[in-house]
Amino acid sequence: MDETRRQDPQHAHTGEGARADEGRRTFLKSALLSGGALASAGALAPALISGAQAQTGGAKPGDRRNHYYIPASDKTVHWGYFSKSLKPVIELDSGDYVTIETLTHHANDDSERMVKGDPGAESVFHWTKDKKNVDRRGAGPMDASIHGRGAGEGFGVHICTGPVYVRGAEPGDIIEVRIIDVKPRPCANPQHGGKSFGSNAAAWWGFHYNDLLTEPKPREVVTIYEVDASGERNWAKAVYNFRWVPQTDPFGVVHKIIDYPGVHVDHSLVKENHGVLKNVRVPIRPHFGVIALAPKEADIVDSIPPGYFGGNMDNWRIGKGATMYYPVAVPGGLFSVGDPHASQGDSELCGTAIECSLTGTFQLVLHKKDRLAGTALTDLRYPLLETQDEWVLHGFSYANYLAELGDKAQSDIYSKSSVDLAMRDAFRKMRHFLMTTKGLSEDEAISLMSIGVDFGVTQVVDGNWGVHAIIRKSLFAGAAEV
Amino acid sequence: MDETRRQDPQHAHTGEGARADEGRRTFLKSALLSGGALASAGALAPALISGAQAQTGGAKPGDRRNHYYIPASDKTVHWGYFSKSLKPVIELDSGDYVTIETLTHHANDDSERMVKGDPGAESVFHWTKDKKNVDRRGAGPMDASIHGRGAGEGFGVHICTGPVYVRGAEPGDIIEVRIIDVKPRPCANPQHGGKSFGSNAAAWWGFHYNDLLTEPKPREVVTIYEVDASGERNWAKAVYNFRWVPQTDPFGVVHKIIDYPGVHVDHSLVKENHGVLKNVRVPIRPHFGVIALAPKEADIVDSIPPGYFGGNMDNWRIGKGATMYYPVAVPGGLFSVGDPHASQGDSELCGTAIECSLTGTFQLVLHKKDRLAGTALTDLRYPLLETQDEWVLHGFSYANYLAELGDKAQSDIYSKSSVDLAMRDAFRKMRHFLMTTKGLSEDEAISLMSIGVDFGVTQVVDGNWGVHAIIRKSLFAGAAEV
C-alpha cells in the first residue's frame, strides 16, 4: 500500500518555510481577508499566513495562534481515501487556525464552470494521455485489476485536502474542530464571474436508481446548479441538466456510468436541457460532506463509508458555526476535509448533494485524554456535532464497520446498508450521550429520547447508511424551579 | 363484527337536538370561548354550538358555518379501532367547524391527575367489577380468546373521539382537515389546579425494549409529565416516574406488562421516584397522534398501524395551524381523532409521547373528485400534511398494509416493520407529489429531493413504521429571474 505515500506534499509546519517568503505570506493574508482570490493567483503551496511564528507578519502582541492556509492542489489532496500513512500537509498546535480549500470531485461534470482558469482545480484534475496529476482515486488497487476503472478503482471518490497533523494528539484524545467560516469557491472563468457552480449527480449508487418510473431506465442525470459567490443570495438555482452518456478518459477507458471520479465530461456528447427546475430556489446550506480524522484499522480506507472517525458523514449541519468532536485514533489525528456541498437534504437521496467547491476556516483544539474526566467529552467514541442550538449524534449501520466486518469490511459494508441498523446505532449513541454527558439515568434518557429527540435520515447512499439524533440544548437550559 | 356498533352515540347533526336546549347551547358556546371548562361541567353530549342552524344562538348574518362540539364521553369515543361501520357522532357540511375533546388512553397511569373529577374522563375510564363503560378496547375478539387480556384484546389502544360524517363525501374525494386550535385539557382535580398532565410509557413495544443497559431487564417505566394548562409556559417537565408492576383489572385479569389500555394503576403498588429529569424542560408540541378517516378494507381495524387513511401517524407537526388532506375511502369519510400528545420526538422511540388529553378545533372541507384535476390534490392516495412553511409526505413500511398483506394483515404488519421500507415509500410519495402537484419531471423531482428535501424518522413503534419527507414551500416561492 505504498501508493498512499505517492504524494509528497510540501511541509510548511516549521514556520521557517513561511518566513522564507514574506511577500507571499503578506499576499496570502490579504487574499484570505478578501475572501479567496488565492486560488486564481496560482499560489498552490501550504503556508503560515499569520500568528506567533510569523513575527514579522503583523501578528498582534500576545496572539499566540497561528493561522495556516492550505490551497487545493495536486500536492495537497488525497483522492478517495483516508490513510494513517499519509504525510501531513501541515502540522499545527492546538488552538491554531487553518483555512483549507476543498474541491468537489464533480467539478469535471462541467469543467468550463468548475475547473477552467482555476490553477488549483486544474492541477488536481489535470489528466492527459501522458500525465494524470493525481493518479490514485480511491482505495482500490493501483493497477485497477478489479474493474479496470483506473488507479484506485474509484473505491472512494472524494477529493480530500490534508491531512493536518495536530501536535501532541494521541489515540484516546479528542480533537475539536470549530468551523469558523465557509465560502463558495468563485468560478475562475471570466464568462461566469461572481458565481459559483455545483453539480448534482443522480447516480447509480442513489436510493432511487432501481426504482425509476420513466424511461429510459436506469439512467444517470447530472444537474448543474449556480450559487451566488458573493453571499448576497442565499439560494441555489438549476442551470441545466444532462443525461450521462459513456465518456472515454484520457487513458482510453470508457465509463458507461459514473464509476470513476474526475472523468471529464465531453459536452459535445451530452444534451444540455436548460430551463429545468424553473423558479425553484434551493436555500443553500454550505457544509463539508467529508470531515475526518484518519482511522487506524487499515492503511488505506475508502472515503465513502463514514464511521467513528467521521469521514463522509454528509450531514448538512456541519457548516459555518458548527463544531465537531472526534476520538483520535492515530498520532496527530490527521485531519482531512473534502466533499464540499452547497446544499443537501437529509438522506442525500440520489447519491450526491449540490457538489460545490468550498473554502473553510477551522480552528483545531486538542483535548488530552487525561483531562476528559467529568467533561462532555468523557468516553467519546464517535463523532459528535455541536451547533449553536443542538447536539447531534450520528448513527451508522455499523458504528465501526472496519472493525466489525472483518477483512472484507471495505467491500462488504456496501451490501449491508440499512436505515434500521443506523437507527439502532443512533439510539444507542444518544442514550450514551445523555447518560454520560448529561448525567441522566437510563430511564430518564429513554423517556427524554421519545419526547424530545428527533431522529432523521442523514444519508442512504454512502455504504454505511446514517441516522442522526438531534437534541436541542434548550432542554437543559431550565433554571431551578420557578 | 357487530361489536363495532355496540356504542350508540347521540346524533346531534340535525340541529333540532341542539335547538331544543337553548340554555345548554349558550353554555357550551361560552365554555368553548373560555377554553374548555366544559368537561368538568358534565355536559357530555355532542351539540351544535353556533352557526347557521342555530338561528337564535347568536350567529352573525351571513355566517353559514356551523360549529359543533363533541365532548369526550363513553358515548362519543371508540377505543382502539377504526370502523367504517361506526355510527357517526355528528354529521356536518363542508366548511363547518367542530371542536373535539380527546382523551389520552394513558390517563389511568395517574388517575388522580388525569381522570379524577373529570366527568368525561371518568365516563370513559369507568370500570368496576360490575360495569365497564367502554368494553371494547382494540380490534381483537370481544371474548379475548387470543390472549385473555380483555374485550378487543388491546389490539389497538387509542381512545378516538368521533367519527364525524362529512355530508356528501364519497370514495375518491379528498377531505381537508384544518387544525384551528389545540389546547391541553386542564386537570379537574383541585389539588392540581391550572395544570395538565401527561404520561410517557417506555413500554414493551418500544424500540429500546430489548436493548437496555441497566437492570432489571426488561422493564417498563412510566414517567408523568406536567404541562402548564394556561399556555404561559411552553414546556413540560417531569413530575416522577415509576416502574410498571403487575396490575389487576376489575375483572381479575393480571396485566404483568402494559398489554391492555386503560388499566388503572394502583399507586400503592408502585414506587414513585420524584426529582427525575430535574431542570429539564421539554418544549411542548401539542398534536394529535391519531387523526384519521375510516379505511375501507376491513370492518374493524386496529388503531395502531397507520396507513393511507392516516390513523396513528404520530407526527408532532400535526398540531395547531396544520392542515391534513386525506383520500376518502368510505361514505362520509368518518373522521376520528385521538392519541393526543403534549410533545413527541421524531421516532417516538420508547413507544409513546407525552400522552396528554387535548381539545382540538377543526374545520373540515370536502373536495369533490370531479373538481380535483389540475389542483394540488390530484391523484392524492395518501395522507398529506401542510404546515405554514412545509409540505410533509408520510411513508410507511407498507403504504396500505391492509391491502398489501392479505387476510392476516393486521397481525402480520407487526413482524414486517422496517425503516428501510418506510424510507422507500416516503421517496416514492415525495416524487409523486413533486411530479403531480409541482409539475416537475422525474429527473427534476429526484435532483430536488436530494438537495432540498429532508427525510426523518416519524416513528418506529407503530407496527407500520414511518419516515416522513419534508419540502419547504419557500423553494417554490421564487420569482422569475432577477
Side-chain angles (χ1 to χ4, degrees):
Chain A
M1 291 284 183
D2 270 333
E3 298 84 355
T4 61
R5 298 190 190 86
R6 184 185 43 76
Q7 299 163 46
D8 190 359
Q10 308 278 339
H11 256 206
H13 67 281
T14 61
E16 285 82 359
R19 242 175 256 137
D21 187 346
E22 285 299 319
R24 165 173 285 177
R25 188 170 65 246
T26 304
F27 164 73
L28 285 168
K29 193 179 179 189
S30 58
L32 175 72
L33 294 171
S34 71
L38 180 66
S40 60
L44 299 183
L48 176 70
I49 53 173
S50 72
Q53 294 178 28
Q55 299 295 332
T56 58
K60 291 177 194 160
D63 181 358
R64 288 156 57 179
R65 310 291 187 207
N66 291 318
H67 189 161
Y68 298 88
Y69 196 101
I70 308 179
S73 80
D74 60 335
K75 302 294 189 294
T76 61
V77 304
H78 45 107
W79 195 328
Y81 63 96
F82 307 113
S83 174
K84 60 186 175 186
S85 305
L86 275 171
K87 195 169 175 181
V89 173
I90 62 163
E91 285 185 25
L92 48 66
D93 291 312
S94 175
D96 284 349
Y97 296 86
V98 57
T99 294
I100 303 177
E101 295 180 6
T102 66
L103 295 176
T104 172
H105 51 293
H106 283 270
N108 252 344
D109 289 346
D110 184 338
S111 63
E112 288 287 312
R113 287 180 170 84
M114 290 184 273
V115 178
K116 190 175 178 179
D118 182 329
E122 286 177 343
S123 85
V124 170
F125 284 93
H126 182 80
W127 184 2
T128 62
K129 69 179 167 50
D130 301 315
K131 186 146 194 286
K132 183 184 177 192
N133 278 9
V134 184
D135 195 19
R136 173 182 282 285
R137 302 180 185 186
M142 288 300 286
D143 63 1
S145 53
I146 298 177
H147 297 304
R149 297 170 179 170
E153 287 281 23
F155 293 169
V157 296
H158 311 97
I159 301 171
C160 301
T161 309
V164 172
Y165 187 101
V166 179
R167 291 194 191 101
E170 295 169 300
D173 297 342
I174 300 293
I175 288 179
E176 174 182 351
V177 178
R178 299 177 184 166
I179 305 177
I180 308 297
D181 198 15
V182 182
K183 285 192 163 55
R185 186 180 184 92
C187 175
N189 181 338
Q191 277 195 272
H192 305 287
K195 295 174 179 175
S196 295
F197 294 93
S199 170
N200 171 252
W204 60 270
W205 63 88
F207 189 81
H208 69 292
Y209 190 66
N210 293 310
D211 196 1
L212 287 166
L213 295 171
T214 54
E215 296 294 343
K217 297 190 276 194
R219 65 184 178 276
E220 294 180 310
V221 176
V222 173
T223 308
I224 302 298
Y225 287 85
E226 175 185 312
V227 174
D228 172 35
S230 73
E232 278 184 32
R233 292 182 188 171
N234 65 349
W235 72 87
K237 62 179 182 177
V239 184
Y240 67 94
N241 70 14
F242 64 88
R243 193 175 304 150
W244 185 271
V245 296
Q247 299 289 337
T248 306
D249 72 33
F251 293 170
V253 176
V254 178
H255 301 275
K256 291 186 179 175
I257 56 172
I258 305 173
D259 64 0
Y260 193 73
V263 171
H264 178 262
V265 172
D266 180 348
H267 277 249
S268 73
L269 302 176
V270 302
K271 179 175 174 292
E272 294 184 4
N273 305 298
H274 289 258
V276 295
L277 289 166
K278 205 170 173 180
N279 294 337
V280 173
R281 294 177 173 182
V282 183
I284 62 167
R285 300 167 162 178
H287 63 280
F288 299 98
V290 168
I291 181 162
L293 300 188
K296 69 180 178 193
E297 286 75 8
D299 199 45
I300 180 162
V301 175
D302 181 341
S303 70
I304 295 173
Y308 75 92
F309 51 90
N312 188 30
M313 293 196 292
D314 280 329
N315 187 334
W316 57 264
R317 296 162 188 84
I318 305 178
K320 182 172 176 171
T323 297
M324 289 293 307
Y325 301 88
Y326 301 91
V328 174
V330 303
L334 298 184
F335 175 70
S336 296
V337 60
D339 193 28
H341 294 166
S343 206
Q344 186 205 295
D346 282 333
S347 87
E348 203 182 20
L349 190 111
C350 79
T352 60
I354 298 180
E355 310 282 326
C356 172
S357 299
L358 301 172
T359 296
T361 296
F362 307 88
Q363 183 181 29
L364 276 61
V365 179
L366 175 63
H367 300 274
K368 293 298 292 180
K369 60 186 159 207
D370 58 2
R371 306 286 291 275
L372 301 177
T375 76
L377 303 177
T378 309
D379 199 25
L380 187 75
R381 295 165 306 208
Y382 43 73
L384 171 66
L385 166 61
E386 179 180 8
T387 70
Q388 184 170 343
D389 300 321
E390 300 167 340
W391 294 97
V392 185
L393 284 288
H394 294 87
F396 307 116
S397 301
Y398 294 85
N400 181 357
Y401 76 101
L402 293 166
E404 292 170 71
L405 299 185
D407 286 349
K408 294 190 174 171
Q410 296 201 48
S411 53
D412 286 356
I413 184 64
Y414 288 95
S415 61
K416 292 173 177 289
S417 313
S418 157
V419 189
D420 284 295
L421 289 173
M423 175 71 206
R424 175 70 52 196
D425 188 41
F427 151 61
R428 290 175 177 167
K429 284 172 175 163
M430 181 53 86
R431 175 176 58 185
H432 176 264
F433 176 80
L434 292 174
M435 293 177 71
T436 304
T437 299
K438 297 298 178 186
L440 302 185
S441 71
E442 186 175 28
D443 291 339
E444 290 175 311
I446 285 173
S447 182
L448 192 58
M449 271 189 279
S450 200
I451 64 175
V453 171
D454 293 318
F455 290 77
V457 179
T458 327
Q459 50 77 23
V460 288
V461 293
D462 295 335
N464 201 13
W465 290 1
V467 166
H468 53 270
I470 299 176
I471 186 152
R472 289 158 286 166
K473 294 178 181 176
S474 60
L475 274 72
F476 302 103
E481 292 303 305
V482 289
Chain B
M1 292 285 182
D2 270 333
E3 297 84 356
T4 61
R5 300 190 189 84
R6 185 187 43 76
Q7 300 163 46
D8 190 0
Q10 309 277 337
H11 256 206
H13 68 279
T14 60
E16 285 82 358
R19 240 176 258 136
D21 187 345
E22 284 300 320
R24 166 174 285 178
R25 188 168 67 248
T26 306
F27 164 74
L28 286 167
K29 193 180 179 189
S30 58
L32 175 72
L33 295 171
S34 70
L38 179 67
S40 61
L44 298 183
L48 175 70
I49 53 174
S50 73
Q53 294 180 27
Q55 299 295 331
T56 59
K60 290 176 194 161
D63 180 359
R64 287 156 57 179
R65 309 291 188 209
N66 291 319
H67 188 160
Y68 298 88
Y69 196 101
I70 309 180
S73 81
D74 60 335
K75 302 294 189 295
T76 61
V77 304
H78 45 108
W79 195 328
Y81 63 96
F82 307 113
S83 175
K84 59 187 176 187
S85 305
L86 275 171
K87 193 169 176 179
V89 173
I90 62 164
E91 285 185 24
L92 49 66
D93 290 313
S94 176
D96 284 348
Y97 296 86
V98 57
T99 294
I100 303 178
E101 296 180 5
T102 66
L103 295 175
T104 172
H105 51 293
H106 283 272
N108 251 344
D109 289 345
D110 184 338
S111 64
E112 287 288 312
R113 288 180 169 84
M114 290 184 273
V115 179
K116 190 175 177 180
D118 182 328
E122 285 177 343
S123 85
V124 170
F125 283 93
H126 183 82
W127 185 1
T128 62
K129 69 179 168 50
D130 302 316
K131 187 149 193 285
K132 184 183 176 192
N133 277 8
V134 185
D135 194 20
R136 174 182 281 284
R137 303 181 184 185
M142 287 301 284
D143 63 1
S145 52
I146 298 176
H147 296 305
R149 297 169 179 171
E153 287 281 22
F155 293 169
V157 296
H158 311 97
I159 301 171
C160 301
T161 309
V164 172
Y165 187 101
V166 179
R167 291 192 191 101
E170 294 168 301
D173 297 342
I174 301 292
I175 287 179
E176 173 182 351
V177 178
R178 299 176 184 166
I179 306 177
I180 308 298
D181 197 16
V182 182
K183 285 193 163 58
R185 186 180 185 92
C187 175
N189 181 339
Q191 276 196 275
H192 305 286
K195 295 174 180 174
S196 294
F197 294 93
S199 170
N200 170 253
W204 60 270
W205 62 88
F207 190 81
H208 70 291
Y209 191 65
N210 293 310
D211 197 359
L212 287 166
L213 295 172
T214 55
E215 297 294 344
K217 294 191 277 193
R219 65 184 178 276
E220 294 180 310
V221 176
V222 173
T223 307
I224 301 299
Y225 287 85
E226 175 185 312
V227 174
D228 172 36
S230 73
E232 277 185 34
R233 292 181 189 171
N234 65 349
W235 71 87
K237 61 179 183 177
V239 183
Y240 67 92
N241 72 13
F242 64 86
R243 193 174 304 150
W244 184 271
V245 297
Q247 299 289 336
T248 306
D249 72 32
F251 292 170
V253 176
V254 178
H255 302 275
K256 291 186 179 174
I257 56 173
I258 305 173
D259 64 0
Y260 193 73
V263 171
H264 177 263
V265 172
D266 180 347
H267 277 249
S268 73
L269 301 177
V270 302
K271 178 175 174 294
E272 294 184 5
N273 305 298
H274 289 258
V276 294
L277 289 167
K278 204 168 174 182
N279 294 336
V280 173
R281 293 176 174 182
V282 182
I284 61 167
R285 300 167 161 178
H287 63 280
F288 299 98
V290 168
I291 180 161
L293 300 187
K296 69 180 176 194
E297 286 74 7
D299 199 46
I300 181 163
V301 175
D302 181 341
S303 69
I304 294 173
Y308 76 92
F309 51 89
N312 187 28
M313 293 196 290
D314 280 328
N315 187 334
W316 58 264
R317 295 162 189 82
I318 306 178
K320 181 172 177 172
T323 297
M324 288 294 308
Y325 301 89
Y326 301 90
V328 174
V330 303
L334 298 184
F335 174 69
S336 296
V337 60
D339 192 28
H341 293 167
S343 205
Q344 187 207 295
D346 281 333
S347 88
E348 202 182 20
L349 191 113
C350 79
T352 60
I354 298 180
E355 310 283 326
C356 172
S357 299
L358 300 173
T359 296
T361 296
F362 308 88
Q363 184 182 29
L364 275 62
V365 178
L366 176 63
H367 301 273
K368 293 299 292 179
K369 60 186 159 206
D370 58 3
R371 304 287 291 275
L372 300 178
T375 76
L377 303 176
T378 309
D379 198 26
L380 187 75
R381 295 166 307 208
Y382 43 73
L384 172 66
L385 166 62
E386 180 180 7
T387 70
Q388 183 170 344
D389 300 320
E390 301 167 338
W391 294 98
V392 185
L393 284 287
H394 294 87
F396 308 115
S397 301
Y398 294 85
N400 181 356
Y401 76 100
L402 292 166
E404 292 169 72
L405 298 185
D407 286 349
K408 294 189 174 173
Q410 296 201 50
S411 53
D412 285 356
I413 185 63
Y414 287 95
S415 60
K416 292 172 177 289
S417 313
S418 157
V419 188
D420 284 296
L421 289 172
M423 175 70 208
R424 175 69 53 197
D425 188 41
F427 151 61
R428 290 175 177 168
K429 284 172 176 164
M430 181 53 85
R431 175 177 56 185
H432 176 264
F433 176 80
L434 293 174
M435 293 177 71
T436 304
T437 300
K438 297 297 177 186
L440 302 186
S441 71
E442 186 175 28
D443 291 340
E444 291 175 312
I446 285 174
S447 182
L448 192 57
M449 269 188 280
S450 201
I451 65 175
V453 171
D454 294 317
F455 290 78
V457 179
T458 327
Q459 50 77 23
V460 288
V461 294
D462 294 336
N464 201 12
W465 291 1
V467 166
H468 53 269
I470 300 177
I471 188 153
R472 288 158 287 166
K473 293 177 180 177
S474 61
L475 274 72
F476 303 103
E481 292 304 303
V482 289

